[in-house]
Amino acid sequence: MVRLGRGQSPLGYAEAQAPRFVRELQEFVRMPSVSSDPAYKQDLGRCASWLASHLRRIGIDSVRLIETEGHPIVTARIDVSPSKPTLLIYGHYDVQPVKPESAWRFPPFSAQISGGHLFGRGAVDDKGQLFAHVKALESWFRTQGGPPCNVRIVFEGEEEIGSPHLRPFLEKYRQELKSDGAVVSDTQMRGPGQPALTIGLRGKLAFDVIVDGPAKDLHSGSFGGAVRNPAEVLSILVSGLHDREGRISVAGMYDDVRVYSLTERRRMAKSAPRAAELFQAAGVEEGWGEEGFTAYERISIRPSLSINGISGGHQGPGTKAIIPAHASAKLSFRLVPDQTPERVADLVTKHIARRCPPGVRCRIAIRESAPPVRIDRGSSIVKSASHALERTFGRTPVMLPSGGSIPVVEALDSLFSLPTALMGFALPTDALHGPNERFELKRFHQAIEASIRLLDHFSRTAGRLR
Amino acid sequence: MVRLGRGQSPLGYAEAQAPRFVRELQEFVRMPSVSSDPAYKQDLGRCASWLASHLRRIGIDSVRLIETEGHPIVTARIDVSPSKPTLLIYGHYDVQPVKPESAWRFPPFSAQISGGHLFGRGAVDDKGQLFAHVKALESWFRTQGGPPCNVRIVFEGEEEIGSPHLRPFLEKYRQELKSDGAVVSDTQMRGPGQPALTIGLRGKLAFDVIVDGPAKDLHSGSFGGAVRNPAEVLSILVSGLHDREGRISVAGMYDDVRVYSLTERRRMAKSAPRAAELFQAAGVEEGWGEEGFTAYERISIRPSLSINGISGGHQGPGTKAIIPAHASAKLSFRLVPDQTPERVADLVTKHIARRCPPGVRCRIAIRESAPPVRIDRGSSIVKSASHALERTFGRTPVMLPSGGSIPVVEALDSLFSLPTALMGFALPTDALHGPNERFELKRFHQAIEASIRLLDHFSRTAGRLR
């Protein structure tokens, strides 16, 4: 084992280089890599090239930029010894959209530092967390000539749009990517100073509901009262997706939802955030949701359905006296074991079709899907991540399911049976997906430390290539 | 009486100058005078100046451009003889918004001519109809040295936003504007070649419903299922504004609605458009609305409520996994005698407040209001308009109430007790307020002819200044 203490160790190097690491992360965050908007396509390409060059610069000579039909994947393999285990590190360099920009304290791609935080879209989701692993690898390269185990890198640019081209990539490069464990840092901690390992992710099914009415926008004086209004029909359709008990009112929705025993729920409740904590992080005074479940259960072990956007008719300032020709809403389910996106897509399509009134046409367009996953707590990689977090934060990480979705985890499991550790460094207050997303610089450095420690522990304890 | 036949008569002049009149109307339509959008404020000013200069050029030397807190009013007085009656001509040079521009065959301010129609926002509502009166006056000036009666001109730039500064103007210039009748050309014909005089207008109450939820957009994985979604609450609020019988479900909404006798309804049904005609003009296969009333009754003698726009959360391409912090809808009532906008505003405000669920905040912002009006069929100006239409189209105009709203009509009635003729030249197929608004060139010339004839008839038959 190499010395992990201060001095000419990886940890000492990381500490000494901290200010430069932050400047590099700023450069990374300044690239507007919004994967869902075609207007940013070139920026995604530039961001991927920057990342590939950066990996080469820190000493990795096998970096490849793999083009897909969408945005490129940056991949690399570092082979140190056939007797050592192999760790797959996954991250994503794409980010969520930023509108409305007016809600941001600093421009979303300015990577401004203020009050010990780096502000910017992607600061923590996921550029900051991805980059922590990159800087951990650099620290190993610069002090020890390389990491203590073999490493496979997969940095993709389509996580925020459901990773549509990741599975074909994993299938094609199955041989090269063969590993003994994977680490994904794209989840949250339990709270400040309280590390967590995520042991479950909800799946996702994103779709649009589109209502088409008159051939063109109509004068609402001349036709108001005699013609079906698509915006009103849309409202009726989407407002009817929950019942009065907060349950999703799509027939069959709960058929495949796994039921947890009271014992399991009690155990989870011990380490889960309280409702008040969640509401404070959300900035709401009061919660809402499915009756019979706690706030935390509602966002982790129960499915949910959110309207992510709704749009129709006049959008600008002022008034416009029309009956709009169209209206549409963007919605997404979060799914839990043992639901499948395919079955739920079928159920909701039928639900909408049955409720579409005469005088308009209603349809559904599926945009993204990912199945839910459960994590094996007993794997080497989870044990190494737990050790690394405990040493870094001085506290045993809690193990909790999370409400988010990361398509790669299910793919690694179903394709390679590869155990994954979800070792996240975001806080609920970091405004992921919202305006003023941020990452605390202290936590960025802790993430680097945890990654350095993870590599060390995994190299010493994990089994070799299966 | 001056000779109205062809030759050196006003009608002959109008016929000879027709191509130039069209070119001038194109110039007028090319000015993007969207009153509801602050971005066009300067364009409104330029359009008003252009109109004022144009009036001066055709021989009117008393033109004034009156600044308001909003957009300017162009006004003029032409005094030919104290023994002659005075006609007030009203029109508006502002137009509706144009988005989405992609739905237009030609750019909305290009004033392209195609298939005998001039395409463009404002082509018929109301620049084309306003300009017909201007060209009628020009025809009188150029052939007879001036119109056959005294004229007052009021061309405003805020009709499409509810004429918020018109009433103070009318009050201030009450003396100068004293007239014996008013003509407003901002309504529709019964059909191609079938003239109409509108004998009633619905009132209007436009308002926004705004729902505020979390302090910022939230990650829908981390919070979905445990936090009230403002876009869903908005959907619930606006979808609940009609009951299953198509009635507006705001308590007290129908208390003041005038009940028509079966005899009146039968008489109206004789000349009113059939449902199939309305649906064809709307481009819908099937109607909708209040049970127990015909399609035409629903848009004329019954109140209606339309969602004009709805907006919240992610609006761009692709997906965004958020619970939006806010959502809002733009709505407008059309009101009928004896409803008042004030009372209805009060009712709907209470309706929304009562239905706002915990976890979000709901509010209403009133944007525009205008009371409904009925027109006196027996006035001199209505008789002159009827005569002019009959001579121009070879058919007696039908007299029907309309679904639209024109704030000036109620103001002229309540302030000056001034009888008004609503002599419109639009067709239901002219796409008023929608994309591809257009005005048939033939109808533009017929409108000029009707205005020339109206001035003549009114000057010979109407009583003098009261």
Side-chain angles (χ1 to χ4, degrees):
Chain A
M1 180 203 174
V2 296
R3 197 163 54 92
L4 279 177
R6 312 293 144 169
Q8 267 323 302
S9 70
L11 287 179
Y13 176 87
E15 196 177 312
Q17 300 295 323
R20 175 174 59 82
F21 288 178
V22 170
R23 287 196 300 275
E24 289 169 351
L25 176 57
Q26 285 180 293
E27 208 179 313
F28 191 21
V29 169
R30 285 194 187 113
M31 282 174 279
S33 48
V34 181
S35 50
S36 67
D37 189 341
Y40 292 94
K41 177 147 183 66
Q42 290 204 319
D43 295 294
L44 272 286
R46 270 192 287 272
C47 191
S49 299
W50 181 92
L51 190 53
S53 308
H54 195 87
L55 292 175
R56 282 186 202 106
R57 206 170 345 134
I58 66 171
I60 308 173
D61 47 21
S62 62
V63 183
R64 293 172 67 185
L65 202 147
I66 310 284
E67 295 293 342
T68 72
E69 278 177 45
H71 307 303
I73 295 169
V74 178
T75 185
R77 54 183 299 169
I78 308 165
D79 285 312
V80 295
S81 160
S83 69
K84 288 289 181 186
T86 303
L87 176 69
L88 189 149
I89 301 174
Y90 166 91
H92 66 90
Y93 66 84
D94 64 318
V95 301
Q96 282 276 313
V98 297
K99 284 180 192 165
E101 294 198 35
S102 56
W104 289 74
R105 278 176 63 195
F106 310 110
F109 298 109
S110 63
Q112 182 84 33
I113 289 169
S114 174
H117 286 79
L118 193 162
F119 283 81
R121 173 59 82 231
V124 66
D125 181 11
D126 182 47
K127 286 176 172 171
Q129 299 194 64
L130 176 162
F131 207 58
H133 290 294
V134 174
K135 295 293 104 178
L137 288 172
E138 177 184 326
S139 303
W140 279 100
F141 268 102
R142 295 287 182 241
T143 58
Q144 313 296 328
C149 61
N150 307 308
V151 171
R152 303 291 178 262
I153 286 175
V154 177
F155 293 157
E156 70 154 325
E158 302 193 310
E159 197 275 343
E160 300 292 5
I161 54 171
S163 303
H165 302 102
L166 186 66
R167 186 173 267 266
F169 163 83
L170 295 175
E171 283 170 350
K172 185 169 175 191
Y173 295 91
R174 174 190 286 270
Q175 243 356 83
E176 290 90 328
L177 294 171
K178 213 171 227 180
S179 307
D180 303 291
V183 63
V184 175
S185 295
D186 193 20
T187 50
Q188 302 190 8
M189 296 173 59
R190 170 63 186 80
Q194 298 178 279
L197 283 167
T198 296
I199 53 161
L201 291 168
R202 291 198 285 187
K204 194 174 180 187
L205 178 73
F207 60 101
D208 294 354
V209 178
I210 302 143
V211 181
D212 297 311
K216 55 184 183 299
D217 289 352
L218 297 175
H219 189 301
S220 60
S222 308
F223 294 101
V227 166
R228 265 284 182 193
N229 186 315
E232 185 167 355
V233 171
L234 180 72
S235 296
I236 293 168
L237 293 178
V238 302
S239 68
L241 285 167
H242 282 107
D243 66 18
R244 285 172 184 279
E245 283 72 45
R247 286 167 64 89
I248 299 164
S249 53
V250 173
M253 184 68 197
Y254 293 90
D255 290 356
D256 301 325
V257 172
R258 197 181 292 180
V259 178
Y260 286 71
S261 70
L262 271 180
T263 317
E264 286 173 293
R265 289 172 67 185
R266 279 202 204 100
R267 190 175 57 200
M268 203 164 75
K270 280 190 192 135
S271 48
R274 316 278 132 222
E277 273 181 77
L278 282 171
F279 300 155
Q280 201 190 354
V284 296
E285 283 167 21
E286 210 163 333
W288 167 88
E290 190 184 354
E291 284 187 14
F293 293 91
T294 67
Y296 186 74
E297 286 170 343
R298 289 168 179 172
I299 62 162
S300 59
I301 61 167
R302 303 298 294 175
S304 70
L305 173 60
S306 297
I307 304 181
N308 309 127
I310 189 163
S311 181
H314 187 49
Q315 301 290 315
T319 58
K320 189 178 184 188
I322 54 163
I323 297 169
H326 318 278
S328 62
K330 294 169 192 278
L331 293 101
S332 56
F333 286 105
R334 298 288 172 160
L335 307 176
V336 296
D338 299 306
Q339 295 183 298
T340 64
E342 295 72 24
R343 169 120 205 275
V344 173
D346 188 48
L347 296 175
V348 73
T349 303
K350 282 181 186 144
H351 179 98
I352 295 295
R354 264 197 303 270
R355 278 154 186 83
C356 188
V360 294
R361 294 168 308 288
C362 310
R363 61 199 157 94
I364 272 195
I366 304 293
R367 300 298 184 201
E368 278 178 44
S369 78
V373 279
R374 304 295 295 173
I375 297 285
D376 170 16
R377 300 168 186 231
S379 70
S380 288
I381 183 63
V382 168
K383 285 178 185 158
S384 293
S386 179
H387 170 87
L389 288 174
E390 188 164 347
R391 293 295 299 273
T392 302
F393 290 94
R395 257 176 110 156
T396 311
V398 297
M399 298 216 177
L400 282 171
S402 145
S405 315
I406 313 173
V408 72
V409 182
E410 194 276 335
L412 294 177
D413 179 39
S414 63
L415 287 176
F416 304 159
S417 302
L418 184 62
T420 298
L422 295 169
M423 180 176 80
F425 301 95
L427 283 182
T429 46
D430 283 343
L432 285 76
H433 294 204
N436 303 312
E437 181 181 340
R438 62 185 195 168
F439 195 13
E440 196 182 5
L441 300 182
K442 182 179 152 199
R443 258 185 292 131
F444 172 51
H445 298 305
Q446 285 170 325
I448 298 169
E449 176 177 344
S451 177
I452 290 171
R453 292 188 184 280
L454 170 73
L455 284 158
D456 173 59
H457 189 270
F458 188 70
S459 72
R460 291 186 286 109
T461 60
R464 290 164 47 186
L465 275 174
R466 288 159 301 164
Chain B
M1 181 203 170
V2 296
R3 197 164 55 92
L4 279 178
R6 314 291 145 170
Q8 267 322 304
S9 70
L11 287 180
Y13 176 86
E15 195 176 312
Q17 301 296 322
R20 175 174 58 83
F21 289 178
V22 171
R23 286 195 301 275
E24 289 169 351
L25 176 57
Q26 287 179 291
E27 209 177 314
F28 191 21
V29 170
R30 284 191 188 116
M31 282 174 280
S33 48
V34 182
S35 50
S36 67
D37 189 341
Y40 292 95
K41 179 149 180 67
Q42 290 203 320
D43 295 294
L44 272 288
R46 271 192 287 271
C47 190
S49 299
W50 181 91
L51 189 55
S53 308
H54 195 87
L55 292 175
R56 283 187 201 104
R57 209 176 335 141
I58 66 171
I60 308 172
D61 47 20
S62 63
V63 184
R64 294 173 67 186
L65 201 147
I66 310 285
E67 295 294 341
T68 73
E69 278 176 44
H71 307 303
I73 295 168
V74 178
T75 185
R77 55 184 295 168
I78 308 164
D79 286 312
V80 294
S81 161
S83 69
K84 288 289 181 186
T86 303
L87 176 69
L88 188 149
I89 301 175
Y90 165 91
H92 66 91
Y93 66 85
D94 65 318
V95 301
Q96 282 275 314
V98 297
K99 282 180 194 166
E101 293 199 35
S102 57
W104 289 74
R105 278 177 62 195
F106 310 110
F109 298 110
S110 63
Q112 183 83 32
I113 289 168
S114 173
H117 286 79
L118 193 161
F119 284 82
R121 173 59 82 229
V124 67
D125 180 11
D126 181 48
K127 285 176 173 172
Q129 299 194 64
L130 176 162
F131 208 58
H133 290 294
V134 174
K135 295 294 103 177
L137 288 172
E138 176 184 328
S139 303
W140 278 101
F141 268 103
R142 294 290 182 238
T143 59
Q144 313 295 328
C149 61
N150 307 308
V151 171
R152 304 291 179 263
I153 285 175
V154 178
F155 293 156
E156 70 153 325
E158 302 191 311
E159 197 274 342
E160 300 292 5
I161 53 171
S163 302
H165 302 102
L166 186 67
R167 185 172 270 264
F169 163 84
L170 295 175
E171 283 171 349
K172 183 169 176 192
Y173 294 92
R174 172 190 287 272
Q175 245 354 84
E176 290 89 328
L177 295 171
K178 212 171 227 181
S179 305
D180 303 290
V183 63
V184 176
S185 296
D186 193 20
T187 49
Q188 303 192 5
M189 296 174 58
R190 171 63 186 79
Q194 297 178 281
L197 283 166
T198 296
I199 53 161
L201 290 168
R202 291 198 285 186
K204 193 174 180 187
L205 177 72
F207 60 102
D208 293 354
V209 178
I210 301 143
V211 181
D212 297 311
K216 55 184 184 298
D217 290 352
L218 297 176
H219 190 300
S220 60
S222 308
F223 295 102
V227 166
R228 266 283 182 193
N229 185 315
E232 185 166 355
V233 170
L234 179 74
S235 296
I236 294 169
L237 293 177
V238 303
S239 68
L241 285 167
H242 282 107
D243 66 17
R244 286 173 183 279
E245 283 72 46
R247 285 168 64 90
I248 299 164
S249 52
V250 174
M253 184 69 199
Y254 293 89
D255 290 357
D256 301 325
V257 172
R258 197 180 292 180
V259 178
Y260 287 72
S261 69
L262 271 179
T263 317
E264 286 173 292
R265 290 171 66 184
R266 279 201 203 100
R267 191 175 56 200
M268 204 165 74
K270 280 189 191 138
S271 48
R274 314 279 133 220
E277 273 181 77
L278 282 172
F279 301 156
Q280 200 190 354
V284 295
E285 284 167 20
E286 212 164 331
W288 167 88
E290 190 183 353
E291 283 187 14
F293 293 91
T294 67
Y296 185 75
E297 287 169 344
R298 289 169 178 170
I299 63 163
S300 59
I301 61 167
R302 302 298 294 175
S304 70
L305 173 59
S306 298
I307 304 180
N308 308 128
I310 190 163
S311 181
H314 187 50
Q315 301 290 315
T319 59
K320 188 179 185 189
I322 54 163
I323 297 169
H326 318 278
S328 62
K330 295 169 191 279
L331 293 101
S332 55
F333 286 105
R334 298 290 172 159
L335 308 175
V336 297
D338 299 304
Q339 295 182 296
T340 64
E342 296 72 23
R343 170 120 205 276
V344 173
D346 188 46
L347 296 175
V348 74
T349 303
K350 282 181 187 144
H351 179 98
I352 295 294
R354 263 197 303 270
R355 278 156 186 83
C356 189
V360 294
R361 295 169 307 289
C362 311
R363 62 198 158 92
I364 272 193
I366 304 293
R367 300 298 184 200
E368 280 179 41
S369 78
V373 280
R374 304 295 297 174
I375 298 285
D376 170 16
R377 301 167 185 233
S379 69
S380 287
I381 183 62
V382 168
K383 285 177 185 160
S384 292
S386 179
H387 170 88
L389 289 174
E390 187 163 349
R391 293 295 298 273
T392 303
F393 291 94
R395 258 173 109 156
T396 311
V398 297
M399 299 216 177
L400 281 171
S402 144
S405 314
I406 312 172
V408 71
V409 182
E410 194 275 337
L412 294 176
D413 179 39
S414 63
L415 286 175
F416 304 159
S417 302
L418 184 62
T420 299
L422 294 169
M423 180 175 81
F425 301 95
L427 283 183
T429 46
D430 284 343
L432 285 75
H433 293 205
N436 304 312
E437 181 181 340
R438 60 186 197 169
F439 195 13
E440 195 182 6
L441 299 182
K442 181 178 152 198
R443 258 183 293 132
F444 172 52
H445 298 305
Q446 286 170 326
I448 298 169
E449 176 176 343
S451 177
I452 291 171
R453 291 187 184 281
L454 170 74
L455 284 158
D456 173 60
H457 190 269
F458 187 71
S459 72
R460 291 184 287 109
T461 60
R464 290 162 48 182
L465 276 174
R466 285 159 300 165

